Amino acid sequence: MTTRRALTSKLKVWVVLDGRVKFGDGRAQLLERVESLGSLRQAVAGMGMSYRAAWGYLRELERAAGFTFLERHPGRGRTRLTPAGKRFLARYRRFQQGLDDAGASHFARSFRRR
Amino acid sequence: MTTRRALTSKLKVWVVLDGRVKFGDGRAQLLERVESLGSLRQAVAGMGMSYRAAWGYLRELERAAGFTFLERHPGRGRTRLTPAGKRFLARYRRFQQGLDDAGASHFARSFRRR
């Protein structure tokens, strides 16, 4: 009888805009935090990312995407996602979730013990 | 009319043995090169990995897996994969290939332009 060791799988999924700007789980979290907190500065705090780096990344992302992700709500001073930004984020999360599910089933099939 | 920018997807897939040793595309390539070249030393050369690092990794991998991946063919001095090592590699490649295919179709579905 052999001991069966634990085997798990790990998956990372990005989309790449214009061949150069990567958008993955961490960036998706950044946008979700901006939407919840209403502020890029607050979103960045506690994520281990500098405001300057986040700002630079978002500028590159918007340039590569050809549309704006964030807008400042006039009067209320809150930053939020544009409709196009929300749509992109939702698509990424759908893509990622679909692949996470596919990953679990492919893993079970490929490594099933016989 | 808006310009449509290129959007592509990128996927990385690992399996994790015993909660600590990762095995992904680079390590699979290493094993494939050992099998083709008959030598760990030759396999490592040109992969940007030191022999010492490769050796240390393989020892950790075997410990975490609970079986041996490489064996030295007696008499001919060639190093090759054990049957268990080959089976594991084939399973990983099947898992990875299945997910690459799933990735392409999920990406097309999630990001299709409407």
Side-chain angles (χ1 to χ4, degrees):
Chain A
M1 198 181 126
T2 55
T3 311
R4 298 207 149 168
R5 309 294 177 94
L7 189 69
T8 51
S9 64
K10 194 168 154 60
L11 191 64
K12 271 187 148 183
V13 180
W14 304 271
V15 291
V16 183
L17 296 98
D18 205 25
R20 57 193 175 91
V21 179
K22 291 209 279 183
F23 183 92
D25 186 66
R27 306 317 195 176
Q29 276 180 44
L30 175 65
L31 295 185
E32 285 158 355
R33 286 172 64 94
V34 170
E35 185 68 7
S36 307
L37 296 165
S39 154
L40 178 58
R41 200 171 287 279
Q42 284 180 47
V44 163
M47 279 193 81
M49 189 189 293
S50 73
Y51 180 76
R52 191 194 179 90
W55 180 258
Y57 170 77
L58 287 165
R59 206 172 49 180
E60 280 303 298
L61 177 66
E62 293 183 335
R63 213 177 274 164
F67 59 83
T68 307
F69 275 71
L70 297 186
E71 64 189 356
R72 192 174 280 275
H73 191 288
R76 294 180 54 202
R78 285 175 62 88
T79 297
R80 44 175 302 166
L81 293 174
T82 60
K86 270 189 198 164
R87 197 158 45 236
F88 184 91
L89 176 62
R91 285 171 171 181
Y92 172 77
R93 284 300 191 204
R94 197 185 316 149
F95 171 48
Q96 183 195 33
Q97 186 57 55
L99 266 185
D100 278 350
D101 295 347
S105 71
H106 279 278
F107 177 67
R109 240 178 296 160
S110 303
F111 283 93
R112 69 170 172 263
R113 311 301 180 92
R114 274 165 292 211
Chain B
M1 197 179 127
T2 57
T3 310
R4 298 206 148 170
R5 310 295 178 93
L7 188 70
T8 52
S9 64
K10 194 168 154 60
L11 191 65
K12 272 188 149 182
V13 180
W14 304 269
V15 290
V16 183
L17 297 99
D18 206 25
R20 58 195 174 90
V21 179
K22 291 210 277 182
F23 183 92
D25 187 65
R27 304 319 194 174
Q29 276 179 45
L30 174 66
L31 295 185
E32 285 158 354
R33 286 173 63 94
V34 171
E35 185 69 7
S36 306
L37 296 165
S39 154
L40 178 58
R41 199 171 288 280
Q42 284 180 46
V44 162
M47 281 195 79
M49 190 188 292
S50 74
Y51 180 76
R52 191 197 179 88
W55 180 259
Y57 170 77
L58 287 166
R59 206 173 49 180
E60 280 302 299
L61 177 66
E62 294 184 334
R63 213 177 274 163
F67 60 83
T68 308
F69 276 71
L70 296 186
E71 63 188 356
R72 193 174 279 275
H73 191 287
R76 295 180 54 203
R78 285 175 61 88
T79 297
R80 44 175 303 167
L81 292 174
T82 60
K86 271 189 199 163
R87 196 158 46 235
F88 184 89
L89 177 61
R91 285 172 171 181
Y92 172 76
R93 284 299 190 205
R94 196 185 317 149
F95 171 47
Q96 185 194 33
Q97 187 57 55
L99 265 186
D100 279 350
D101 296 347
S105 72
H106 278 278
F107 178 66
R109 239 179 296 161
S110 303
F111 283 93
R112 67 170 172 264
R113 311 299 179 94
R114 272 165 293 208

